[in-house]
Amino acid sequence: MKASTFFLGLVAGSVAAAVTVLYSAPQSGNELRKTVKNATTDMKSKFQDVKGCVDDLKDSIAHLTKEAKEAIPVAIDGIKGSVEQWQQATEPNKERMEKEIAAIQKALEELEQSLAAQQK
């Protein structure tokens, strides 16, 4: 739902409620006009407050977007750097483990050959 649609509905509902309350109250014409004038002034003030809040929200969103555009690339670079450091730190262990696995495989092959020779 768009914000303009929401605020249009809010305004229409507020006006309908105000008119209903004003005309259902037992007042003289003069009192009714004063009440309508006061209600109109109050509604204008409230709408100005809502407009100010919406403007503040827009500014906050724009500021957040700007900061996110600056912070996200920095964070991504930091993560990439951390991953590269981790890869470099684990490389010696990886090579050592590959050598150990190769030695174990070779020992298994020799053991299989030894068992096959004994079974003959």
Side-chain angles (χ1 to χ4, degrees):
M1 174 170 39
K2 292 184 177 180
S4 61
T5 305
F6 172 75
F7 286 115
L8 181 62
L10 180 67
V11 169
S14 298
V15 169
V19 169
T20 302
V21 168
L22 291 174
Y23 285 114
S24 66
Q27 296 176 340
S28 69
N30 198 18
E31 291 175 344
L32 182 61
R33 283 188 290 278
K34 287 181 184 178
T35 305
V36 169
K37 185 177 180 182
N38 289 338
T40 302
T41 304
D42 290 344
M43 289 190 71
K44 285 181 182 178
S45 172
K46 289 178 183 178
F47 285 131
Q48 288 298 324
D49 290 344
V50 169
K51 184 181 179 213
C53 290
V54 169
D55 290 341
D56 289 345
L57 180 62
K58 285 180 182 178
D59 292 342
S60 295
I61 290 172
H63 180 71
L64 177 64
T65 303
K66 180 183 173 188
E67 284 190 10
K69 285 180 181 179
E70 294 171 359
I72 289 176
V74 171
I76 289 173
D77 289 342
I79 291 170
K80 284 180 182 178
S82 295
V83 168
E84 289 174 1
Q85 272 184 327
W86 175 79
Q87 287 175 337
Q88 290 173 355
T90 58
E91 187 64 31
N93 291 334
K94 178 183 168 187
E95 291 173 2
R96 182 183 49 83
M97 290 177 72
E98 287 173 350
K99 288 178 184 178
E100 288 179 9
I101 290 171
I104 291 171
Q105 287 176 340
K106 184 177 178 183
L108 284 174
E109 289 173 5
E110 290 173 358
L111 182 62
E112 287 175 354
Q113 290 174 0
S114 173
L115 287 175
Q118 286 179 358
Q119 289 179 354
K120 288 185 181 180

